[in-house]
Amino acid sequence: MKKLGVLASILVMQSFFAQTNRFVYQVTMKPDASNKADVKTENAYLDISAEKSMFYSENRIKRDSVMQANRQSGGARGFNRDQMESLRSNINYSIEKDKKNQKTVYKDRLGRDQYSYEEDRSLNWKILSETTKIGEYKVQKAETEFGGRKWTAWFTTDLPYQDGPYKFSGLPGLVVKAEDADGDYSFDLMKNYKISDFPEMSTFGNVVKVKRTDYVKQQEKFKTDPMSFMNSQRGGGISPPMRTGGGNQNPADMRKRMEERAKEEAKKNSNPIELK
């Protein structure tokens, strides 16, 4: 009977890991260093399978869906500006963790292209004895320093995962909550459910693989002079007039709007999740 019980447990675990599980986190951010009263909140997904996990914005998938529908209609539908604005996200990156090779890959868009780098820093956790309960899970406290911030995390062993939102991993359980010491960023697990498979993420422009330190340099160049940065990318120049539901748009006007938006975004993201 004991052997049958063990076998049943193994089969249950195999069935559990054969599926993709989605964990929904509420992400709270204060991205503007000059205005900490401006608090942004949105949902992000952590999709986990036996081989890998992916962390990305819920709005990213919704925007991709709208853009895909537009492409399939040949642009006939146009874009609903209000709808697209409502789906703007402060989480423009995605993070994939390869469990087999123990690699964490970060992807983000700079200008026309998507940049990708493999994280070269490890998370050194200090696991504390303090425990509590968050929602339905019994959790334990852990601390680490990463990216210029001090982080406190609460993880649970009630679920068979050693993973977490953002780049957090390496604890003997799933991160249910993580918050930095300044209260600028926090991740709170809200719910979870099963999905059929990982969603297909749209990629526009070239995928440029770089080292993390090179990505940081390119990011600073983009923030300093977005138009010069985009003109230096492969393809250069600016795209021909586009139709977005509001008629043809003049390239010079597009350039000006793009530059203004890039500068505005840089200001609004002057307090990034990683300070160094």
Side-chain angles (χ1 to χ4, degrees), residues 20-38:
T20 299
N21 290 267
R22 170 167 291 170
F23 294 86
V24 182
Y25 287 84
Q26 178 177 280
V27 186
T28 305
M29 303 156 279
K30 299 176 183 177
D32 188 344
S34 64
N35 185 11
K36 291 291 188 74
D38 184 18

Side-chain angles (χ1 to χ4, degrees), residues 23-29 39-46 55 91 134-135 137 139 151-154 164-166 168 174-180 183-192:
F23 294 86
V24 182
Y25 287 84
Q26 178 177 280
V27 186
T28 305
M29 303 156 279
V39 180
K40 306 293 186 184
T41 302
E42 63 179 281
N43 287 346
Y45 296 151
L46 174 65
F55 181 75
I91 305 171
I134 298 179
Y137 303 113
V139 295
W151 291 92
T152 296
W154 296 88
Y166 195 60
F168 302 127
L174 180 75
V175 174
V176 173
K177 180 180 179 65
E179 183 177 28
D180 78 293
D184 290 343
Y185 287 86
S186 66
F187 301 84
D188 294 272
L189 179 62
M190 305 301 290
K191 59 182 177 180
N192 69 85

Side-chain angles (χ1 to χ4, degrees), residues 50 54 75 77 108 110 125 151-152 182 193 215 222 253 260:
M54 288 183 63
R77 293 187 183 183
D108 196 4
L110 293 179
W125 293 100
W151 291 92
T152 296
D182 295 325
Y193 52 89
Y215 166 80
F222 176 65
D253 292 339
E260 288 174 350

Side-chain angles (χ1 to χ4, degrees), residues 157-222:
T157 55
D158 293 348
L159 295 166
Y161 300 109
Q162 297 181 2
D163 209 330
Y166 195 60
K167 297 177 181 178
F168 302 127
S169 63
L171 285 166
L174 180 75
V175 174
V176 173
K177 180 180 179 65
E179 183 177 28
D180 78 293
D182 295 325
D184 290 343
Y185 287 86
S186 66
F187 301 84
D188 294 272
L189 179 62
M190 305 301 290
K191 59 182 177 180
N192 69 85
Y193 52 89
K194 293 176 176 57
I195 59 175
S196 58
D197 202 356
F198 290 89
E200 185 176 340
M201 311 286 275
S202 296
T203 301
F204 302 97
N206 303 298
V207 177
V208 184
K209 293 184 178 181
V210 294
K211 291 183 178 179
R212 181 183 60 84
T213 51
D214 292 331
Y215 166 80
V216 173
K217 292 176 183 177
Q218 295 300 313
Q219 187 181 47
E220 285 304 313
K221 287 181 180 179
F222 176 65

Side-chain angles (χ1 to χ4, degrees), residues 75-216:
R77 293 187 183 183
F79 286 124
N80 183 313
R81 289 186 180 277
D82 291 336
Q83 181 185 24
M84 293 302 282
E85 281 296 316
S86 70
L87 295 177
R88 291 186 69 184
S89 173
N90 282 81
I91 305 171
N92 296 307
Y93 57 82
S94 64
I95 296 169
E96 182 174 327
K97 303 186 188 96
D98 182 333
K99 297 183 180 181
K100 180 180 179 181
N101 298 309
Q102 295 293 299
K103 292 182 178 180
T104 297
V105 176
Y106 177 99
K107 295 178 181 179
D108 196 4
R109 185 177 178 83
L110 293 179
R112 305 170 185 281
D113 300 329
Q114 185 177 76
Y115 284 71
S116 169
Y117 71 80
E118 184 181 327
E119 179 56 63
D120 55 0
R121 300 163 296 176
S122 59
L123 282 150
N124 299 311
W125 293 100
K126 179 182 180 182
I127 298 177
L128 307 175
S129 60
E130 186 177 347
T131 61
T132 187
K133 197 167 185 181
I134 298 179
E136 61 186 288
Y137 303 113
K138 179 182 178 181
V139 295
Q140 187 169 351
K141 189 176 185 179
E143 297 176 339
T144 190
E145 290 189 23
F146 184 78
R149 293 184 184 273
K150 293 182 179 180
W151 291 92
T152 296
W154 296 88
F155 68 93
T156 183
T157 55
D158 293 348
L159 295 166
Y161 300 109
Q162 297 181 2
D163 209 330
Y166 195 60
K167 297 177 181 178
F168 302 127
S169 63
L171 285 166
L174 180 75
V175 174
V176 173
K177 180 180 179 65
E179 183 177 28
D180 78 293
D182 295 325
D184 290 343
Y185 287 86
S186 66
F187 301 84
D188 294 272
L189 179 62
M190 305 301 290
K191 59 182 177 180
N192 69 85
Y193 52 89
K194 293 176 176 57
I195 59 175
S196 58
D197 202 356
F198 290 89
E200 185 176 340
M201 311 286 275
S202 296
T203 301
F204 302 97
N206 303 298
V207 177
V208 184
K209 293 184 178 181
V210 294
K211 291 183 178 179
R212 181 183 60 84
T213 51
D214 292 331
Y215 166 80
V216 173

